[in-house]
Structure formats: structure tokens, C-alpha cells
Amino acid sequence: MRMLSYSCAINEAFHQIMESDERVFQIGVGVNTPWYVGNTLTGLLDRFGERRMIDTPVSECGITGISIGAALTGLRPILTFPRMDFMYYAMDQIFNHAAIYNFSLGGHAPVPLVIRAIINRGGEQAAQHSQALQAFFMHAPGFKVVMPSNAYDAKGMLMAAVKQDDPLIFIEDRWLYEQESDVPQQGYTVPLTGAKVVSEGKDATIVASSYMVEEAKKAVESLRERQVQVELIDLRAVKPIDHGTVLASVRKTGRLLVVDGGWETGGIAAEVGFLVANLGFQDLKAPIERIALPDSPAPASCLLEKAYYPTSQTIVEKVLQLISNH
Amino acid sequence: MNIMGRADDKVLEGILKTMLTIRLFEERVAEMAARKEVRCPVHLYVGQEAIASAVCANLNREDYVFSTHRSHGHYIAKQGDLNSLMAEIHGKEAGCSKGYGGSMHVVDVNAGFMGSSAIVAGTIPIAAGAALTSFLTKNNSVVSVAFFGDGATDEGVFYETVNFAALYKLPILFVCENNLFSTHLPDFKRQSNTKVYERVKNFKIRTRRINGNDPIKIYNASKWLIERIKRGEGPALLECMTYRWLAHVGHMEDLDVGHRKKEDVEFWKKKCPIKFLKRVLFRRGKISERQYEDMKKGVEAEIERAVSFAQQSPLPLAKTEKAAF
């Protein structure tokens, strides 16, 4: 066993990626300061120099376009947004260009760009420093979207992301940065599609992603003590979604709760819920349930914040309800 | 600084032929658009031919060019394949973008024409990204050229890009084709200072404003700037004053609509860049009327071949798979 934290696993992946592939460089606001990106980029500036670690002006739209142009002409940029909230500034280059460029040009202009989007919330940071925007990137065609929930997947998916040729959104939640798992030292890849069954059960299925997998794991433990056997699925990739694993589980349990760290309307839960309602309707013993953020911006003050974010307790209650009512 | 100099007559002949190709190509597209043989929106470059033709006469194949919704002139000037362009405008499978892009999304990577975008200012930062590749891996030996209109200088991302390019001394030439209008709205209704070069020179890069209908001046100015850009002296902006003869989009002229006056169009038509260069070469005894007519016939034949190619190519079929490629 070699336990490593999520953020250290990302850092290790970057060291290995940049050492083995000279085309890779990092670009973004604050990439050379721990103040923005924690320890995920520690040591890279000293090792690879300023030409491969470009800390930029706060020009999100401009640097996104610049990253696209570099990707288009043979390099492998990794563009970091230390807070997803600031990606709204870059919407044109993200959605009108990164996502579309190769398509509209008949497949002649691939854009192998990895965009790291970091969810950074809690701590009374308020509405513009708290957002989880995965649903936007799922909605617009053109991106692969991954949300690794643990250190092992984070390293392996990052290494896989840089090796492929499509624009990809790699979403990290800073609440996961201390999460530890067994991470091999040598480089490896984890497929960029495909959900994982985290724990098996027969009474209900929970589908979660990113940080909510951690909360769901705690809920699963707590429910086990009450003799409720929950099957927990970690989506890992939210686009494309692995239908097969979700449907197979619902076939077994007949009950589905989707837990999403983003807002309720039009989110991951809506999409997974549709898939199961459409393709697994005959297996359902109860209406599909979801837990997501309320359709409201995040508040600041601590008690308001506490009420805003669902926890393992919210999940436990919802599962008990799901089982007892039907 | 002296940006004058005498362009080689052979180079000027080449520029004349490129301008003529663009003019006749666009006029042919306009005819077909009027007859609805071309269905996608077309933003025609008639009147502005000198800029693409003269700037690109300084470029090698590996140099990068990025363009806009008004893309045909830049594509042709960078020696993109004419048949594929015409086929794309016709929405055909043999089009440069396989019928997925239409007139506003064209590409010929082999010619160094790296694509165009329908979003105003959209390719400006992308062009700077290509320049970053040259800076990081090619010691600035490849220049990236971003063509855009004056409307693009209303967008914030333009200034973000100029700042970044200036900061890193990226090998990029910003070519602003100032045709005085952003679709319908004239410059003075949009900009507190209508001189783009003045606004941009505060970023501490070289900027010039020149007559955009004089291909000789454009050739010399861009040559001088590109030489310095490739030496690692950083980006530059060339503002070329010009006018589009036709509507923002389509084959009509948009006369007396809003601020666009018939007499203005007539005034600018007298400054036709093709007539101008033809006259210069006649005067220098470098080309005769007969030779010009032969050149024109050759170009017409090439365009007709492109039209037949486009017309004979099949339409792309929708794939049953969700994925496009």
C-alpha cells in the first residue's frame, strides 16, 4: 500500500506527464502559486521552468483561446481554472471554440486541450467562489467531462486525459484534496469512460460523482449498520455517462438515488434519472430520487452554508425514505 | 523608420493574380447566392482583396493564418485549395470541412490556413496560441497572422490577447481590416477613438495605419513587420483602411441602409485595389492588356473548375451514429 492524497496524486501525475512529453505545458491564472492551486503544481516551476509553467494575466477568455491555438498547432496545454466560477469569463472560447472548432472544420483541426476546473467552496466564500458547473459542460456537445472521486482515479485519469486528442474538462473538488488512496508510484492510466461499483448492495442504488462519492460512502456505512444494503456507483465520467453500469445496478435493486454536487435543475441527476426512467422503467420499484444543491446561489454565513450543502446524513435519510415508502 | 521599399514586380504580379482570384471567386459566389444555388450565408470580401493578398505574399506555407466569418479571401490568399472551398460553400462532402462548417468555417491545414470562426474576434486568441507554439518550440521562425475586422476590436478578448502577445513577445501579426462598419453600425457610433492603431500602441507594440486598398504599401509594411516579428521583436498591428462593396452578408449591396450611403460605395469603388495595381504594372511595362486578359481567363477557368467540382460532389449524408466523426 502506498497511500497518497488526491492533490499529491495530481502533482505526481503532472511531474510524470511533463517529464515524458515535452509538448505538455501548464497555463492559467495562479499556476505558480500554492495560493491558487494548493500543492497540485508544487515543484513543477523549478523543474520545468517558466516556459512550461505559464502563470498568466487574469484574462480567462484570452488564455483559453491561446491554449486552443497551442493545442491546434501541436502542443498539449493543460489549462487550469483554480476556481470554476471564473470560467464564465471564458465561455466563448470554451463553448464556441474549444468544443466546436474541430467539428465545424470537418475533423481537420483537433484540439487536444485539457481544462482543469476546480470547485473551491465552503468556508463562507459565498456565491461567486463556490460553484460546481459540471452540468454546463455536459450539456454543450464537444467535451469529455470527468470528475474523479479519489486519488487513484485522479492520477490515472489525468494521465489518460493528456494522451488523447479531444478537448476534456477535468473537474476537481478541493474538498477531495486530502482524500487518500493507494496510488502506484509509476505512471498508469484509468479509462476516461466507465463508472465504477464502489460497494455492492441489493436494496437501493446510489449514483454519485466527485466529492459526493465520499459523502455517499459514509452514508453506505451508516445504512449497513441498519441492515440496508446499498450499491454505490461512482460515475467517474459524467460525459459520456456509462449507462450500462447504472442500469445493471437498478435492475438488481429497483431503487435509484442520484447524488450530485451541482444544482438540481438540469443537472447530472436529471440526466441519469432520464436514462433510467427511459431504459430501466420496468425495473423500478419506486420513483427515482435525487439529492443536489437547491436552485439557489451559495450563501456565505456558516449556518446558511450548512443548510445549503447536502451531507451523508441527507443521503441516509433519503435512502431510508426511498425504501420505506415503497 | 522606413517601411517603404520597392516590391519586386514578380511579387506584385502574384498579388494581382491573387486579388483577381478572390474578386472573381466572390462575384461567382454572389451570383450563385442570388440564385440560391449557394444556401449558406456568405460574407463576401469584394473591395478588400488587397489586404489578404499582399500580407500573405510575405508568408511561407508553414506560417499560420486565422480568419473570420469573411473568410474566403484569406483562405485563397494563403493558397488554400480552391475546389474544397467552393465545395464547402455548397455544403458538399468534398468541402474543406466536409460540409460541417459552411462558408464561415473553412480550413486548409496543409496550406497553413488554420481555420475561421463566426464569432467576432473568436480566432484572435487562437492565432496567438499558434504564435505561442512558435515561440515555445520554433524560436519564432513561424509567424501567426490574425485577420479581423474593426468590429473585433470592440471585443474585450482582443485586448486580452494583444496584452498577452506583447508581454511574451509572441510572433503574431494582427491585421485589422478596418472597413468602418460592424455589420450596420459605423465606427464612430461604437468607438471613443476610431483609430485602432492608436488604441493598441499603448500595449507597446509596433502599430501602423495604412491605406488598405494599396497592395504595394500593404506588402511593404507587412514584410517589414514580419521580418522583425520573426527576429523575436514581438507582435505588431497593421490597421488597413478599406471598405466592403457588398452587404455585410449576402450578394446585395445594402445601399442607403442606415449609415451606408450610395455615394460612399461609389467613392470606394474608385479606389479599387485591382485597378490600382494593374495600372502600376502597366505603367512599369511589366504587364500588357493582353497579358492581363490572359491572366483573367486563366483565373476564370480555375474558378469554373471549382464550381463544377462543387456541383458534382455529393451532399454529405447524416450519420446514424450520434457522434459526427
Side-chain angles (χ1 to χ4, degrees):
Chain A
M1 291 285 272
R2 176 176 173 270
M3 298 305 281
L4 202 63
S5 73
Y6 192 98
S7 58
C8 288
I10 288 174
N11 184 248
E12 189 169 271
F14 281 143
H15 275 275
Q16 290 170 356
I17 289 165
M18 291 181 74
E19 188 181 20
S20 66
D21 190 343
E22 286 194 345
R23 299 170 302 169
V24 177
F25 71 98
Q26 310 257 0
I27 183 167
V29 176
V31 295
N32 289 332
T33 167
W35 197 47
Y36 281 89
V37 288
N39 58 358
T40 58
L41 300 177
T42 301
L44 295 167
L45 177 62
D46 287 344
R47 194 164 163 203
F48 299 105
E50 276 190 334
R51 289 167 73 93
R52 292 180 70 189
M53 291 301 293
I54 303 176
D55 201 335
T56 69
V58 271
S59 304
E60 286 82 0
C61 192
I63 60 167
T64 304
I66 286 164
S67 304
I68 294 168
L72 189 63
T73 49
L75 298 184
R76 298 263 155 170
I78 297 170
L79 168 64
T80 297
F81 288 92
R83 285 185 191 281
M84 273 186 119
D85 313 70
F86 287 79
M87 292 176 89
Y88 286 129
Y89 258 127
M91 280 185 99
D92 170 61
Q93 286 299 323
I94 293 173
F95 292 115
N96 273 325
H97 293 91
I100 286 175
Y101 210 74
N102 191 34
F103 176 90
S104 292
L105 296 176
H108 292 298
V111 178
L113 170 63
V114 173
I115 300 180
R116 275 178 82 200
I118 303 177
I119 302 167
N120 189 349
R121 55 189 166 176
E124 301 201 343
Q125 294 185 86
Q128 294 166 335
H129 273 33
S130 297
Q131 296 172 86
L133 306 178
Q134 52 269 26
F136 287 77
F137 305 109
M138 289 168 66
H139 182 65
F143 290 113
K144 290 175 180 162
V145 187
V146 300
M147 298 185 79
S149 71
N150 60 76
Y152 178 86
D153 283 353
K155 179 175 174 182
M157 291 181 106
L158 201 46
M159 297 195 84
V162 178
K163 289 191 166 96
Q164 54 88 55
D165 291 335
D166 295 319
L168 181 141
I169 312 279
F170 188 93
I171 301 176
E172 302 158 32
D173 189 324
R174 276 187 82 139
W175 280 347
L176 282 167
Y177 273 18
E178 303 302 316
Q179 191 278 344
E180 289 192 345
S181 38
D182 184 11
V183 176
Q185 183 154 25
Q186 72 204 61
Y188 60 93
T189 58
V190 167
L192 296 163
T193 54
K196 188 170 82 177
V197 179
V198 179
S199 64
E200 295 194 20
K202 60 174 178 43
D203 299 324
T205 299
I206 295 178
V207 171
S209 48
S210 189
Y211 173 73
M212 292 318 285
V213 174
E214 282 294 290
E215 292 295 329
K217 276 193 212 163
K218 285 185 243 165
V220 168
E221 284 310 308
S222 159
L223 287 161
R224 186 169 294 147
E225 287 163 21
R226 301 175 195 225
Q227 317 307 321
V228 179
Q229 310 297 323
V230 175
E231 182 139 305
L232 172 58
I233 293 172
D234 175 0
L235 281 179
R236 298 205 283 200
V238 297
K239 189 154 189 195
I241 286 175
D242 172 4
H243 307 188
T245 303
V246 175
L247 289 168
S249 177
V250 173
R251 197 166 304 136
K252 193 163 74 173
T253 65
R255 295 182 175 87
L256 174 66
L257 167 63
V258 191
V259 185
D260 180 9
W263 293 296
E264 209 167 72
T265 300
I268 296 174
E271 184 60 27
V272 174
F274 167 79
L275 287 171
V276 173
N278 186 231
L279 300 171
F281 188 71
Q282 66 286 356
D283 300 320
L284 287 169
K285 296 176 191 157
I288 298 162
E289 285 288 357
R290 73 176 162 196
I291 291 173
L293 296 179
D295 282 327
S296 153
S301 185
C302 61
L303 291 182
L304 297 174
E305 212 174 39
K306 205 171 165 220
Y308 184 74
Y309 292 111
T311 62
S312 58
Q313 192 51 38
T314 329
I315 299 171
V316 168
E317 284 161 19
K318 193 64 106 180
V319 170
L320 290 175
Q321 209 182 323
L322 184 62
I323 287 169
S324 65
N325 286 355
H326 308 276
Chain B
M1 135 195 135
N2 174 27
I3 62 167
M4 297 306 289
R6 198 178 152 104
D8 182 81
D9 290 326
K10 276 282 157 216
V11 170
L12 294 184
E13 256 186 71
I15 294 174
L16 181 64
K17 189 177 174 200
T18 307
M19 291 198 295
L20 201 53
T21 308
I22 298 171
R23 172 72 55 89
L24 297 174
F25 185 95
E26 296 291 62
E27 286 177 349
R28 191 74 173 84
V29 170
E31 272 172 42
M32 293 186 291
R35 289 202 301 265
K36 298 198 167 30
E37 291 166 24
V38 160
R39 298 169 300 277
C40 73
V42 285
H43 302 75
L44 302 173
Y45 196 62
V46 177
Q48 305 183 193
E49 297 91 345
I51 305 166
S53 307
V55 170
C56 291
N58 289 295
L59 301 180
N60 302 321
R61 202 175 77 139
E62 56 270 25
D63 291 321
Y64 303 120
V65 162
F66 290 84
S67 174
T68 67
H69 55 289
R70 202 173 304 288
S71 63
H72 309 167
H74 310 128
Y75 177 106
I76 292 169
K78 193 63 171 62
Q79 312 296 316
D81 183 76
L82 217 55
N83 289 356
S84 315
L85 177 63
M86 192 61 99
E88 188 59 36
I89 295 167
H90 281 74
K92 296 298 184 75
E93 195 168 35
C96 58
S97 305
K98 299 179 188 163
Y100 281 81
S103 161
M104 294 189 281
H105 302 279
V106 296
V107 68
D108 189 340
V109 172
N110 290 330
F113 184 86
M114 303 304 289
S116 59
S117 164
I119 300 294
V120 178
T123 49
I124 296 175
I126 300 177
L132 181 64
T133 298
S134 174
F135 167 78
L136 290 174
T137 66
K138 301 172 207 273
N139 197 26
N140 301 315
S141 64
V142 166
V143 68
S144 181
V145 179
F147 287 101
F148 51 90
D150 51 305
T153 74
D154 297 357
E155 297 281 3
V157 76
F158 170 63
Y159 300 94
E160 293 185 10
T161 305
V162 171
N163 175 58
F164 188 93
L167 187 67
Y168 280 89
K169 291 198 184 303
L170 298 184
I172 179 167
L173 178 63
F174 298 100
V175 181
C176 177
E177 302 178 337
N178 191 338
N179 64 17
L180 311 173
F181 285 85
S182 170
T183 65
H184 64 293
L185 206 61
D187 53 1
F188 62 88
K189 290 270 182 184
R190 298 181 285 121
Q191 299 169 345
S192 62
N193 176 358
T194 57
K195 293 175 175 147
V196 175
Y197 79 104
E198 275 190 4
R199 277 183 269 144
V200 168
K201 77 178 174 196
N202 291 325
F203 288 91
K204 300 185 176 167
I205 66 169
R206 292 193 170 104
T207 65
R208 302 280 174 273
R209 181 187 245 206
I210 56 173
N211 175 358
N213 283 23
D214 181 339
I216 302 175
K217 282 204 174 99
I218 299 166
Y219 175 78
N220 286 329
S222 52
K223 183 182 172 67
W224 194 92
L225 291 169
I226 289 168
E227 279 168 6
R228 276 147 192 82
I229 289 167
K230 287 190 174 184
R231 271 186 228 147
E233 293 179 18
L237 173 125
L238 192 61
E239 180 183 10
C240 304
M241 303 307 294
T242 188
Y243 199 82
R244 76 176 139 71
W245 293 7
L246 298 177
H248 160 67
V249 59
H251 62 282
M252 308 285 278
E253 287 188 304
D254 273 1
L255 289 178
D256 296 316
V257 177
H259 289 269
R260 192 174 154 90
K261 300 276 177 278
K262 189 169 196 267
E263 63 253 36
D264 292 342
V265 180
E266 293 311 318
F267 171 81
W268 281 94
K269 280 187 175 176
K270 287 191 192 117
K271 306 209 301 182
C272 172
I274 296 174
K275 278 189 192 148
F276 168 84
L277 187 57
K278 191 174 114 185
R279 216 162 36 233
V280 170
L281 290 173
F282 276 168
R283 216 179 293 133
R284 290 187 191 169
K286 295 300 168 190
I287 187 171
S288 65
E289 188 64 55
R290 169 87 188 272
Q291 283 166 319
Y292 178 77
E293 284 308 314
D294 285 349
M295 177 192 276
K296 195 172 167 188
K297 277 193 194 115
V299 168
E300 278 166 349
E302 205 187 340
I303 291 168
E304 285 318 306
R305 277 196 297 276
V307 171
S308 319
F309 175 83
Q311 287 172 342
Q312 282 159 26
S313 166
L315 288 164
L317 294 175
K319 303 208 167 88
T320 46
E321 299 295 319
K322 275 188 184 173
F325 303 114

